[in-house]
mmCIF file with all atom_site columns, all heavy atoms in Angstrom:
data_model
loop_
_atom_site.group_PDB
_atom_site.id
_atom_site.type_symbol
_atom_site.label_atom_id
_atom_site.label_alt_id
_atom_site.label_comp_id
_atom_site.label_asym_id
_atom_site.label_entity_id
_atom_site.label_seq_id
_atom_site.pdbx_PDB_ins_code
_atom_site.Cartn_x
_atom_site.Cartn_y
_atom_site.Cartn_z
_atom_site.occupancy
_atom_site.B_iso_or_equiv
_atom_site.pdbx_formal_charge
_atom_site.auth_seq_id
_atom_site.auth_comp_id
_atom_site.auth_asym_id
_atom_site.auth_atom_id
_atom_site.pdbx_PDB_model_num
ATOM 1   N N   . LEU B 1 4  ? 12.208 -11.498 -27.304 1.00 87.00 ? 20 LEU B N   1
ATOM 2   C CA  . LEU B 1 4  ? 12.078 -12.959 -27.335 1.00 87.00 ? 20 LEU B CA  1
ATOM 3   C C   . LEU B 1 4  ? 13.434 -13.634 -27.150 1.00 87.00 ? 20 LEU B C   1
ATOM 4   O O   . LEU B 1 4  ? 13.619 -14.612 -26.383 1.00 87.00 ? 20 LEU B O   1
ATOM 5   C CB  . LEU B 1 4  ? 11.584 -13.324 -28.762 1.00 87.00 ? 20 LEU B CB  1
ATOM 6   C CG  . LEU B 1 4  ? 10.001 -13.415 -28.902 1.00 87.00 ? 20 LEU B CG  1
ATOM 7   C CD1 . LEU B 1 4  ? 9.638  -13.930 -30.229 1.00 87.00 ? 20 LEU B CD1 1
ATOM 8   C CD2 . LEU B 1 4  ? 9.534  -14.282 -27.765 1.00 87.00 ? 20 LEU B CD2 1
ATOM 9   N N   . THR B 1 5  ? 14.465 -13.047 -27.683 1.00 89.00 ? 21 THR B N   1
ATOM 10  C CA  . THR B 1 5  ? 15.981 -13.463 -27.541 1.00 89.00 ? 21 THR B CA  1
ATOM 11  C C   . THR B 1 5  ? 16.192 -13.474 -26.038 1.00 89.00 ? 21 THR B C   1
ATOM 12  O O   . THR B 1 5  ? 16.701 -14.540 -25.532 1.00 89.00 ? 21 THR B O   1
ATOM 13  C CB  . THR B 1 5  ? 16.910 -12.655 -28.222 1.00 89.00 ? 21 THR B CB  1
ATOM 14  O OG1 . THR B 1 5  ? 16.316 -12.183 -29.455 1.00 89.00 ? 21 THR B OG1 1
ATOM 15  C CG2 . THR B 1 5  ? 18.053 -13.385 -28.541 1.00 89.00 ? 21 THR B CG2 1
ATOM 16  N N   . ALA B 1 6  ? 15.886 -12.511 -25.329 1.00 89.00 ? 22 ALA B N   1
ATOM 17  C CA  . ALA B 1 6  ? 16.187 -12.196 -23.891 1.00 89.00 ? 22 ALA B CA  1
ATOM 18  C C   . ALA B 1 6  ? 15.347 -13.397 -23.093 1.00 89.00 ? 22 ALA B C   1
ATOM 19  O O   . ALA B 1 6  ? 15.836 -13.924 -22.251 1.00 89.00 ? 22 ALA B O   1
ATOM 20  C CB  . ALA B 1 6  ? 15.837 -10.863 -23.468 1.00 89.00 ? 22 ALA B CB  1
ATOM 21  N N   . LEU B 1 7  ? 14.125 -13.554 -23.528 1.00 91.00 ? 23 LEU B N   1
ATOM 22  C CA  . LEU B 1 7  ? 13.210 -14.522 -22.794 1.00 91.00 ? 23 LEU B CA  1
ATOM 23  C C   . LEU B 1 7  ? 13.834 -16.016 -22.971 1.00 91.00 ? 23 LEU B C   1
ATOM 24  O O   . LEU B 1 7  ? 13.860 -16.604 -22.083 1.00 91.00 ? 23 LEU B O   1
ATOM 25  C CB  . LEU B 1 7  ? 11.858 -14.455 -23.478 1.00 91.00 ? 23 LEU B CB  1
ATOM 26  C CG  . LEU B 1 7  ? 10.957 -15.311 -22.725 1.00 91.00 ? 23 LEU B CG  1
ATOM 27  C CD1 . LEU B 1 7  ? 10.532 -14.903 -21.314 1.00 91.00 ? 23 LEU B CD1 1
ATOM 28  C CD2 . LEU B 1 7  ? 9.486  -15.405 -23.536 1.00 91.00 ? 23 LEU B CD2 1
ATOM 29  N N   . PHE B 1 8  ? 14.340 -16.261 -24.218 1.00 90.00 ? 24 PHE B N   1
ATOM 30  C CA  . PHE B 1 8  ? 14.916 -17.586 -24.281 1.00 90.00 ? 24 PHE B CA  1
ATOM 31  C C   . PHE B 1 8  ? 16.120 -17.755 -23.521 1.00 90.00 ? 24 PHE B C   1
ATOM 32  O O   . PHE B 1 8  ? 16.331 -18.830 -22.806 1.00 90.00 ? 24 PHE B O   1
ATOM 33  C CB  . PHE B 1 8  ? 15.248 -17.874 -25.822 1.00 90.00 ? 24 PHE B CB  1
ATOM 34  C CG  . PHE B 1 8  ? 14.061 -18.173 -26.790 1.00 90.00 ? 24 PHE B CG  1
ATOM 35  C CD1 . PHE B 1 8  ? 13.784 -17.513 -27.838 1.00 90.00 ? 24 PHE B CD1 1
ATOM 36  C CD2 . PHE B 1 8  ? 13.199 -19.156 -26.226 1.00 90.00 ? 24 PHE B CD2 1
ATOM 37  C CE1 . PHE B 1 8  ? 12.750 -17.716 -28.599 1.00 90.00 ? 24 PHE B CE1 1
ATOM 38  C CE2 . PHE B 1 8  ? 12.122 -19.457 -27.093 1.00 90.00 ? 24 PHE B CE2 1
ATOM 39  C CZ  . PHE B 1 8  ? 11.838 -18.786 -28.208 1.00 90.00 ? 24 PHE B CZ  1
ATOM 40  N N   . ALA B 1 9  ? 16.977 -16.687 -23.408 1.00 90.00 ? 25 ALA B N   1
ATOM 41  C CA  . ALA B 1 9  ? 18.070 -16.840 -22.401 1.00 90.00 ? 25 ALA B CA  1
ATOM 42  C C   . ALA B 1 9  ? 17.540 -17.023 -21.051 1.00 90.00 ? 25 ALA B C   1
ATOM 43  O O   . ALA B 1 9  ? 18.132 -17.734 -20.274 1.00 90.00 ? 25 ALA B O   1
ATOM 44  C CB  . ALA B 1 9  ? 18.879 -15.548 -22.580 1.00 90.00 ? 25 ALA B CB  1
ATOM 45  N N   . GLY B 1 10 ? 16.399 -16.311 -20.737 1.00 90.00 ? 26 GLY B N   1
ATOM 46  C CA  . GLY B 1 10 ? 15.991 -16.504 -19.297 1.00 90.00 ? 26 GLY B CA  1
ATOM 47  C C   . GLY B 1 10 ? 15.477 -17.916 -19.198 1.00 90.00 ? 26 GLY B C   1
ATOM 48  O O   . GLY B 1 10 ? 15.574 -18.527 -18.093 1.00 90.00 ? 26 GLY B O   1
ATOM 49  N N   . PHE B 1 11 ? 14.835 -18.473 -20.182 1.00 93.00 ? 27 PHE B N   1
ATOM 50  C CA  . PHE B 1 11 ? 14.372 -19.866 -19.999 1.00 93.00 ? 27 PHE B CA  1
ATOM 51  C C   . PHE B 1 11 ? 15.688 -20.914 -19.740 1.00 93.00 ? 27 PHE B C   1
ATOM 52  O O   . PHE B 1 11 ? 15.615 -21.808 -18.937 1.00 93.00 ? 27 PHE B O   1
ATOM 53  C CB  . PHE B 1 11 ? 13.643 -20.536 -21.219 1.00 93.00 ? 27 PHE B CB  1
ATOM 54  C CG  . PHE B 1 11 ? 12.160 -20.350 -21.007 1.00 93.00 ? 27 PHE B CG  1
ATOM 55  C CD1 . PHE B 1 11 ? 11.520 -19.226 -21.814 1.00 93.00 ? 27 PHE B CD1 1
ATOM 56  C CD2 . PHE B 1 11 ? 11.451 -20.900 -20.175 1.00 93.00 ? 27 PHE B CD2 1
ATOM 57  C CE1 . PHE B 1 11 ? 10.197 -19.017 -21.675 1.00 93.00 ? 27 PHE B CE1 1
ATOM 58  C CE2 . PHE B 1 11 ? 10.089 -20.766 -20.095 1.00 93.00 ? 27 PHE B CE2 1
ATOM 59  C CZ  . PHE B 1 11 ? 9.433  -19.836 -20.862 1.00 93.00 ? 27 PHE B CZ  1
ATOM 60  N N   . GLU B 1 12 ? 16.837 -20.549 -20.306 1.00 89.00 ? 28 GLU B N   1
ATOM 61  C CA  . GLU B 1 12 ? 17.945 -21.306 -20.131 1.00 89.00 ? 28 GLU B CA  1
ATOM 62  C C   . GLU B 1 12 ? 18.288 -21.211 -18.639 1.00 89.00 ? 28 GLU B C   1
ATOM 63  O O   . GLU B 1 12 ? 18.756 -22.190 -18.017 1.00 89.00 ? 28 GLU B O   1
ATOM 64  C CB  . GLU B 1 12 ? 19.118 -20.725 -20.916 1.00 89.00 ? 28 GLU B CB  1
ATOM 65  C CG  . GLU B 1 12 ? 19.262 -21.482 -22.203 1.00 89.00 ? 28 GLU B CG  1
ATOM 66  C CD  . GLU B 1 12 ? 20.387 -20.907 -23.093 1.00 89.00 ? 28 GLU B CD  1
ATOM 67  O OE1 . GLU B 1 12 ? 21.437 -20.464 -22.676 1.00 89.00 ? 28 GLU B OE1 1
ATOM 68  O OE2 . GLU B 1 12 ? 20.054 -20.666 -24.276 1.00 89.00 ? 28 GLU B OE2 1
ATOM 69  N N   . THR B 1 13 ? 18.225 -20.027 -17.955 1.00 88.00 ? 29 THR B N   1
ATOM 70  C CA  . THR B 1 13 ? 18.573 -19.856 -16.551 1.00 88.00 ? 29 THR B CA  1
ATOM 71  C C   . THR B 1 13 ? 17.460 -20.685 -15.842 1.00 88.00 ? 29 THR B C   1
ATOM 72  O O   . THR B 1 13 ? 17.778 -21.284 -14.752 1.00 88.00 ? 29 THR B O   1
ATOM 73  C CB  . THR B 1 13 ? 18.371 -18.384 -16.142 1.00 88.00 ? 29 THR B CB  1
ATOM 74  O OG1 . THR B 1 13 ? 19.097 -17.595 -17.118 1.00 88.00 ? 29 THR B OG1 1
ATOM 75  C CG2 . THR B 1 13 ? 18.979 -18.057 -14.756 1.00 88.00 ? 29 THR B CG2 1
ATOM 76  N N   . ALA B 1 14 ? 16.047 -20.530 -16.153 1.00 90.00 ? 30 ALA B N   1
ATOM 77  C CA  . ALA B 1 14 ? 15.151 -20.962 -15.278 1.00 90.00 ? 30 ALA B CA  1
ATOM 78  C C   . ALA B 1 14 ? 15.003 -22.532 -15.348 1.00 90.00 ? 30 ALA B C   1
ATOM 79  O O   . ALA B 1 14 ? 14.423 -23.153 -14.474 1.00 90.00 ? 30 ALA B O   1
ATOM 80  C CB  . ALA B 1 14 ? 13.611 -20.287 -15.624 1.00 90.00 ? 30 ALA B CB  1
ATOM 81  N N   . LEU B 1 15 ? 15.437 -23.213 -16.441 1.00 91.00 ? 31 LEU B N   1
ATOM 82  C CA  . LEU B 1 15 ? 15.216 -24.552 -16.781 1.00 91.00 ? 31 LEU B CA  1
ATOM 83  C C   . LEU B 1 15 ? 16.379 -25.539 -16.175 1.00 91.00 ? 31 LEU B C   1
ATOM 84  O O   . LEU B 1 15 ? 16.210 -26.643 -16.428 1.00 91.00 ? 31 LEU B O   1
ATOM 85  C CB  . LEU B 1 15 ? 14.915 -24.801 -18.184 1.00 91.00 ? 31 LEU B CB  1
ATOM 86  C CG  . LEU B 1 15 ? 13.603 -24.433 -18.751 1.00 91.00 ? 31 LEU B CG  1
ATOM 87  C CD1 . LEU B 1 15 ? 13.530 -24.589 -20.276 1.00 91.00 ? 31 LEU B CD1 1
ATOM 88  C CD2 . LEU B 1 15 ? 12.521 -25.225 -18.136 1.00 91.00 ? 31 LEU B CD2 1
ATOM 89  N N   . THR B 1 16 ? 17.244 -24.871 -15.443 1.00 92.00 ? 32 THR B N   1
ATOM 90  C CA  . THR B 1 16 ? 18.363 -25.734 -14.878 1.00 92.00 ? 32 THR B CA  1
ATOM 91  C C   . THR B 1 16 ? 17.561 -26.540 -13.755 1.00 92.00 ? 32 THR B C   1
ATOM 92  O O   . THR B 1 16 ? 16.623 -26.023 -13.094 1.00 92.00 ? 32 THR B O   1
ATOM 93  C CB  . THR B 1 16 ? 19.442 -24.961 -14.221 1.00 92.00 ? 32 THR B CB  1
ATOM 94  O OG1 . THR B 1 16 ? 18.850 -24.026 -13.222 1.00 92.00 ? 32 THR B OG1 1
ATOM 95  C CG2 . THR B 1 16 ? 20.163 -24.087 -15.246 1.00 92.00 ? 32 THR B CG2 1
ATOM 96  N N   . PRO B 1 17 ? 17.963 -27.686 -13.507 1.00 93.00 ? 33 PRO B N   1
ATOM 97  C CA  . PRO B 1 17 ? 17.223 -28.640 -12.459 1.00 93.00 ? 33 PRO B CA  1
ATOM 98  C C   . PRO B 1 17 ? 17.123 -27.952 -11.280 1.00 93.00 ? 33 PRO B C   1
ATOM 99  O O   . PRO B 1 17 ? 16.003 -28.021 -10.487 1.00 93.00 ? 33 PRO B O   1
ATOM 100 C CB  . PRO B 1 17 ? 18.176 -29.843 -12.405 1.00 93.00 ? 33 PRO B CB  1
ATOM 101 C CG  . PRO B 1 17 ? 18.901 -29.872 -13.614 1.00 93.00 ? 33 PRO B CG  1
ATOM 102 C CD  . PRO B 1 17 ? 19.100 -28.420 -14.069 1.00 93.00 ? 33 PRO B CD  1
ATOM 103 N N   . LEU B 1 18 ? 18.077 -27.165 -10.574 1.00 92.00 ? 34 LEU B N   1
ATOM 104 C CA  . LEU B 1 18 ? 18.103 -26.642 -9.346  1.00 92.00 ? 34 LEU B CA  1
ATOM 105 C C   . LEU B 1 18 ? 16.921 -25.497 -9.361  1.00 92.00 ? 34 LEU B C   1
ATOM 106 O O   . LEU B 1 18 ? 16.099 -25.409 -8.390  1.00 92.00 ? 34 LEU B O   1
ATOM 107 C CB  . LEU B 1 18 ? 19.446 -26.104 -9.030  1.00 92.00 ? 34 LEU B CB  1
ATOM 108 C CG  . LEU B 1 18 ? 19.676 -25.959 -7.406  1.00 92.00 ? 34 LEU B CG  1
ATOM 109 C CD1 . LEU B 1 18 ? 19.531 -27.315 -6.697  1.00 92.00 ? 34 LEU B CD1 1
ATOM 110 C CD2 . LEU B 1 18 ? 21.025 -25.408 -7.218  1.00 92.00 ? 34 LEU B CD2 1
ATOM 111 N N   . ASN B 1 19 ? 16.967 -24.649 -10.394 1.00 93.00 ? 35 ASN B N   1
ATOM 112 C CA  . ASN B 1 19 ? 16.037 -23.550 -10.480 1.00 93.00 ? 35 ASN B CA  1
ATOM 113 C C   . ASN B 1 19 ? 14.509 -24.086 -10.642 1.00 93.00 ? 35 ASN B C   1
ATOM 114 O O   . ASN B 1 19 ? 13.626 -23.475 -10.143 1.00 93.00 ? 35 ASN B O   1
ATOM 115 C CB  . ASN B 1 19 ? 16.350 -22.562 -11.423 1.00 93.00 ? 35 ASN B CB  1
ATOM 116 C CG  . ASN B 1 19 ? 17.506 -21.644 -11.158 1.00 93.00 ? 35 ASN B CG  1
ATOM 117 O OD1 . ASN B 1 19 ? 17.793 -21.563 -9.896  1.00 93.00 ? 35 ASN B OD1 1
ATOM 118 N ND2 . ASN B 1 19 ? 18.232 -21.042 -11.984 1.00 93.00 ? 35 ASN B ND2 1
ATOM 119 N N   . LEU B 1 20 ? 14.399 -25.305 -11.364 1.00 94.00 ? 36 LEU B N   1
ATOM 120 C CA  . LEU B 1 20 ? 13.094 -25.798 -11.457 1.00 94.00 ? 36 LEU B CA  1
ATOM 121 C C   . LEU B 1 20 ? 12.599 -26.377 -10.119 1.00 94.00 ? 36 LEU B C   1
ATOM 122 O O   . LEU B 1 20 ? 11.484 -26.113 -9.702  1.00 94.00 ? 36 LEU B O   1
ATOM 123 C CB  . LEU B 1 20 ? 13.195 -27.017 -12.436 1.00 94.00 ? 36 LEU B CB  1
ATOM 124 C CG  . LEU B 1 20 ? 13.169 -26.634 -13.865 1.00 94.00 ? 36 LEU B CG  1
ATOM 125 C CD1 . LEU B 1 20 ? 13.263 -28.038 -14.613 1.00 94.00 ? 36 LEU B CD1 1
ATOM 126 C CD2 . LEU B 1 20 ? 11.722 -26.000 -14.363 1.00 94.00 ? 36 LEU B CD2 1
ATOM 127 N N   . LEU B 1 21 ? 13.621 -26.766 -9.268  1.00 94.00 ? 37 LEU B N   1
ATOM 128 C CA  . LEU B 1 21 ? 13.300 -27.310 -8.029  1.00 94.00 ? 37 LEU B CA  1
ATOM 129 C C   . LEU B 1 21 ? 12.770 -26.016 -7.150  1.00 94.00 ? 37 LEU B C   1
ATOM 130 O O   . LEU B 1 21 ? 11.745 -26.135 -6.393  1.00 94.00 ? 37 LEU B O   1
ATOM 131 C CB  . LEU B 1 21 ? 14.464 -27.959 -7.350  1.00 94.00 ? 37 LEU B CB  1
ATOM 132 C CG  . LEU B 1 21 ? 14.158 -28.562 -5.920  1.00 94.00 ? 37 LEU B CG  1
ATOM 133 C CD1 . LEU B 1 21 ? 13.332 -29.727 -6.042  1.00 94.00 ? 37 LEU B CD1 1
ATOM 134 C CD2 . LEU B 1 21 ? 15.510 -28.914 -5.303  1.00 94.00 ? 37 LEU B CD2 1
ATOM 135 N N   . TRP B 1 22 ? 13.571 -24.894 -7.203  1.00 94.00 ? 38 TRP B N   1
ATOM 136 C CA  . TRP B 1 22 ? 13.091 -23.810 -6.544  1.00 94.00 ? 38 TRP B CA  1
ATOM 137 C C   . TRP B 1 22 ? 11.723 -23.275 -6.848  1.00 94.00 ? 38 TRP B C   1
ATOM 138 O O   . TRP B 1 22 ? 10.937 -22.741 -6.092  1.00 94.00 ? 38 TRP B O   1
ATOM 139 C CB  . TRP B 1 22 ? 14.141 -22.650 -6.596  1.00 94.00 ? 38 TRP B CB  1
ATOM 140 C CG  . TRP B 1 22 ? 15.372 -22.992 -5.678  1.00 94.00 ? 38 TRP B CG  1
ATOM 141 C CD1 . TRP B 1 22 ? 16.680 -23.127 -6.174  1.00 94.00 ? 38 TRP B CD1 1
ATOM 142 C CD2 . TRP B 1 22 ? 15.471 -23.108 -4.269  1.00 94.00 ? 38 TRP B CD2 1
ATOM 143 N NE1 . TRP B 1 22 ? 17.456 -23.412 -5.152  1.00 94.00 ? 38 TRP B NE1 1
ATOM 144 C CE2 . TRP B 1 22 ? 16.812 -23.445 -4.022  1.00 94.00 ? 38 TRP B CE2 1
ATOM 145 C CE3 . TRP B 1 22 ? 14.538 -23.162 -3.362  1.00 94.00 ? 38 TRP B CE3 1
ATOM 146 C CZ2 . TRP B 1 22 ? 17.279 -23.702 -2.765  1.00 94.00 ? 38 TRP B CZ2 1
ATOM 147 C CZ3 . TRP B 1 22 ? 15.031 -23.278 -2.006  1.00 94.00 ? 38 TRP B CZ3 1
ATOM 148 C CH2 . TRP B 1 22 ? 16.281 -23.584 -1.728  1.00 94.00 ? 38 TRP B CH2 1
ATOM 149 N N   . ALA B 1 23 ? 11.547 -23.368 -8.204  1.00 94.00 ? 39 ALA B N   1
ATOM 150 C CA  . ALA B 1 23 ? 10.081 -22.851 -8.751  1.00 94.00 ? 39 ALA B CA  1
ATOM 151 C C   . ALA B 1 23 ? 9.112  -23.768 -8.095  1.00 94.00 ? 39 ALA B C   1
ATOM 152 O O   . ALA B 1 23 ? 7.987  -23.352 -7.684  1.00 94.00 ? 39 ALA B O   1
ATOM 153 C CB  . ALA B 1 23 ? 10.229 -22.974 -10.237 1.00 94.00 ? 39 ALA B CB  1
ATOM 154 N N   . LEU B 1 24 ? 9.364  -25.163 -8.044  1.00 95.00 ? 40 LEU B N   1
ATOM 155 C CA  . LEU B 1 24 ? 8.450  -26.011 -7.533  1.00 95.00 ? 40 LEU B CA  1
ATOM 156 C C   . LEU B 1 24 ? 8.128  -25.750 -6.078  1.00 95.00 ? 40 LEU B C   1
ATOM 157 O O   . LEU B 1 24 ? 7.012  -25.674 -5.567  1.00 95.00 ? 40 LEU B O   1
ATOM 158 C CB  . LEU B 1 24 ? 8.881  -27.454 -7.702  1.00 95.00 ? 40 LEU B CB  1
ATOM 159 C CG  . LEU B 1 24 ? 7.896  -28.628 -7.277  1.00 95.00 ? 40 LEU B CG  1
ATOM 160 C CD1 . LEU B 1 24 ? 6.709  -28.534 -8.227  1.00 95.00 ? 40 LEU B CD1 1
ATOM 161 C CD2 . LEU B 1 24 ? 8.526  -29.925 -7.473  1.00 95.00 ? 40 LEU B CD2 1
ATOM 162 N N   . VAL B 1 25 ? 9.265  -25.452 -5.273  1.00 94.00 ? 41 VAL B N   1
ATOM 163 C CA  . VAL B 1 25 ? 9.212  -25.204 -3.857  1.00 94.00 ? 41 VAL B CA  1
ATOM 164 C C   . VAL B 1 25 ? 8.212  -23.956 -3.737  1.00 94.00 ? 41 VAL B C   1
ATOM 165 O O   . VAL B 1 25 ? 7.339  -23.909 -2.904  1.00 94.00 ? 41 VAL B O   1
ATOM 166 C CB  . VAL B 1 25 ? 10.549 -24.992 -3.228  1.00 94.00 ? 41 VAL B CB  1
ATOM 167 C CG1 . VAL B 1 25 ? 10.418 -24.393 -1.857  1.00 94.00 ? 41 VAL B CG1 1
ATOM 168 C CG2 . VAL B 1 25 ? 11.219 -26.203 -3.204  1.00 94.00 ? 41 VAL B CG2 1
ATOM 169 N N   . GLY B 1 26 ? 8.582  -22.989 -4.522  1.00 94.00 ? 42 GLY B N   1
ATOM 170 C CA  . GLY B 1 26 ? 7.827  -21.659 -4.524  1.00 94.00 ? 42 GLY B CA  1
ATOM 171 C C   . GLY B 1 26 ? 6.287  -21.828 -4.827  1.00 94.00 ? 42 GLY B C   1
ATOM 172 O O   . GLY B 1 26 ? 5.526  -21.400 -3.913  1.00 94.00 ? 42 GLY B O   1
ATOM 173 N N   . VAL B 1 27 ? 5.954  -22.484 -5.782  1.00 95.00 ? 43 VAL B N   1
ATOM 174 C CA  . VAL B 1 27 ? 4.483  -22.660 -6.140  1.00 95.00 ? 43 VAL B CA  1
ATOM 175 C C   . VAL B 1 27 ? 3.851  -23.529 -5.128  1.00 95.00 ? 43 VAL B C   1
ATOM 176 O O   . VAL B 1 27 ? 2.653  -23.227 -4.725  1.00 95.00 ? 43 VAL B O   1
ATOM 177 C CB  . VAL B 1 27 ? 4.217  -23.173 -7.592  1.00 95.00 ? 43 VAL B CB  1
ATOM 178 C CG1 . VAL B 1 27 ? 4.749  -22.210 -8.620  1.00 95.00 ? 43 VAL B CG1 1
ATOM 179 C CG2 . VAL B 1 27 ? 4.951  -24.554 -7.924  1.00 95.00 ? 43 VAL B CG2 1
#
Side-chain angles (χ1 to χ4, degrees):
Chain B
L20 274 185
T21 325
L23 182 64
F24 283 127
F27 270 109
E28 267 171 47
T29 314
L31 282 173
T32 60
L34 203 59
N35 283 341
L36 278 175
L37 182 70
W38 286 117
L40 186 64
V41 170
V43 293

